Structure formats: C-alpha cells, structure tokens
C-alpha cells in the first residue's frame, strides 16, 4: 500500500516560516491535499491540488509538490497555527485515499 | 451553508455493529462524494470508504472490506456507515466528509462521532 511520510513535529517561532514535508514514491505525479486539525476539532482543508487554497484560507498557507516530496509552507506563523497537519492523496492503482502520518506544529 | 451533521456517540461491545449517520444539507447532494474517515485516540486520520450518491456506488479501504457498508436513505440526504464485528481497536472518532466529484480532496467535514468499543 502507498505510504506518505511526514516528520512527527515541527517547531517555529512566531512570525517565522514553517515547512512541513510529505514524502511518497513519485508523489509529484499525484495531487496533494493538506489539512489542519486542532485538538477536539474536525480537520480543515487548507491546500488542495498541490497549491490551491480554499476560500477563507490565508495566503500565508502555500503548497508545492515535486518528485517525491510535497511541502506545506506557513509564513508569518501565528499562535493560532498551532495544530496537527496531514497531507493526503488518492492512490489510483489501488483506488484508495491515503493520509500522511501527520505533523504537530508547535509555535514557540 | 454546507453542513454535515452526524449522529451521537455510541458505546458498543466487542462483536457488535455500529451505524453512524451523516445528514448533508446546503448543497447539491449528488454532486459530491461522501467519505468516512476515522481517528483513533492520539492517532492519525484513516480513510475508510467512499459513497457516490450519483448512482449509489461504493468503494472501501482494503482494511475494512467485508466489515463495512455505506448506504443512503433514498428519501433524504443522509448517508450511513455501518461497521460490523467491532473490536477494541475500532474505538475512534468517525468523521464523514464530502469531496467534489472529479476531485480527490475533502472540503467539508462533519463534527465527528465517538464510537467506544468496550466489554
């Protein structure tokens, strides 16, 4: 089965930039989506199709995807960005939707 | 506005079944897939299956095949997910979520339903 690997944790100071990686075989050929989940809440879509933002998501959230790694970048990080972040793809060969292992972002 | 409203928390014994409902409103029901995703305590997100209201077709994660069934109430915009032969490892929050047809993302989520499996 297809595996998406994320770092367990990322720490960042307020106002700085956080980068969260998502690694998978030939990931650049797939469409990557990213979700933010705060404790006790449902996930929220923050980036879809590698780099597009849903309405209402700040421009501070951006995404990229190339070769075997996709990246979610949070610029000018705020305390409210502290959350778990998950990447996700649809794996066509198995017709399965796959989530990454998740990354906890801590704002120092 | 778009809403996915799920049924309330459940406590089940090992071997039993649970049926979680997800009532959709505020959008054209047949234009979006409905998925179920679960999250065990302190763990990540796990996709379980997809229901396509335009044709009532389903596809399930390999892990759950044989134990899961997704259906809908034909008179309402409610989708159900039934999981059988429950075990303690099925204790989790179960979310329903929708995805626009032709895309692979999940753009709106229900509030989640806690299912506890305990003897």
């Amino acid at each position: 089965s297809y595996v998406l690997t994320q770092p367990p944790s990322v720490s960042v100071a307020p106002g700085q930039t956080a980068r969260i990686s998502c690694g998978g075989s030939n990931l650049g050929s797939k469409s990557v989506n990213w979700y933010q989940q705060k404790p006790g809440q449902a996930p929220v879509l923050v980036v879809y199709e590698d780099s597009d933002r849903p309405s209402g998501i700040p421009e501070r959230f951006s995404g990229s995807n190339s070769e075997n790694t996709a990246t979610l970048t949070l610029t000018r990080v705020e305390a409210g960005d502290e959350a778990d972040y998950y990447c996700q793809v649809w794996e066509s060969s198995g017709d399965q939707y796959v989530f990454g292992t998740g990354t906890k972002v801590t704002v120092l | 506005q778009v809403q996915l409203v799920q049924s309330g928390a459940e406590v089940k014994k090992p071997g039993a079944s649970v049926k979680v409902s997800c009532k959709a409103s505020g959008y054209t029901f047949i234009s979006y897939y409905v998925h179920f995703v679960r999250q065990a305590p302190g763990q990540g997100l796990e996709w379980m299956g997809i229901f396509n209201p335009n044709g009532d077709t389903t596809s399930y994660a390999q892990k759950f095949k044989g134990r899961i069934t997704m259906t809908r109430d034909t008179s309402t915009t409610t989708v159900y997910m039934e999981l059988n032969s429950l075990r303690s490892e099925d204790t989790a929050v179960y979310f329903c979520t929708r995805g626009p047809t032709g895309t692979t993302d999940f753009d709106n989520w229900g509030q989640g339903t806690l299912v506890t499996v305990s003897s």
Side-chain angles (χ1 to χ4, degrees):
Chain A
S1 61
Y2 194 75
V3 176
L4 293 174
T5 302
Q6 299 179 233
S9 62
V10 167
S11 296
V12 59
Q16 298 304 302
T17 297
R19 294 179 179 83
I20 305 164
S21 63
C22 173
S25 177
N26 200 26
L27 187 56
S29 68
K30 305 181 189 302
S31 181
V32 180
N33 309 303
W34 290 90
Y35 303 86
Q36 176 194 69
Q37 186 182 32
K38 296 182 179 180
Q41 298 184 18
V44 172
L45 179 68
V46 294
V47 167
Y48 66 99
E49 294 180 1
D50 294 341
S51 59
D52 289 334
R53 277 184 315 277
S55 61
I57 300 300
E59 290 184 9
R60 302 185 297 103
F61 289 79
S62 64
S64 63
N65 184 18
S66 179
E67 298 186 354
N68 297 312
T69 303
T71 302
L72 176 69
T73 301
L74 283 63
T75 57
R76 301 184 302 281
V77 167
E78 303 172 355
D81 297 332
E82 191 163 280
D84 294 326
Y85 291 83
Y86 295 90
C87 57
Q88 173 259 319
V89 299
W90 174 62
E91 208 287 293
S92 59
S93 65
D95 192 21
Q96 305 279 290
Y97 292 77
V98 179
F99 284 96
T101 49
T103 298
K104 181 176 181 60
V105 170
T106 299
V107 180
L108 301 171
Chain B
Q1 73 283 21
V2 174
Q3 281 193 304
L4 298 170
V5 179
Q6 300 183 223
S7 47
E10 304 260 15
V11 178
K12 296 291 183 181
K13 293 193 181 304
S17 300
V18 68
K19 194 170 188 177
V20 177
S21 68
C22 173
K23 180 165 176 56
S25 62
Y27 69 93
T28 302
F29 184 60
I30 62 169
S31 296
Y32 292 80
Y33 306 131
V34 175
H35 303 257
F36 275 85
V37 173
R38 77 177 187 180
Q39 186 170 39
Q43 302 301 307
L45 301 170
E46 181 176 35
W47 179 76
M48 300 181 71
I50 179 175
F51 182 87
N52 184 352
N54 188 5
D56 288 0
T57 56
T58 57
S59 180
Y60 304 127
Q62 190 66 36
K63 175 177 179 177
F64 300 103
K65 284 182 180 176
R67 277 211 303 149
I68 187 173
T69 306
M70 293 175 65
T71 57
R72 75 152 165 161
D73 183 331
T74 54
S75 63
T76 70
T77 56
T78 300
V79 177
Y80 300 91
M81 186 283 298
E82 184 170 24
L83 189 64
N84 303 318
S85 303
L86 291 170
R87 32 206 187 236
S88 58
E89 310 90 88
D90 294 317
T91 294
V93 175
Y94 290 74
F95 295 100
C96 66
T97 178
R98 73 164 201 179
T101 53
T103 73
T104 63
D105 58 276
F106 311 128
D107 69 353
N108 276 271
W109 294 67
Q111 82 275 20
T113 296
L114 174 62
V115 175
T116 302
V117 182
S118 174
S119 55

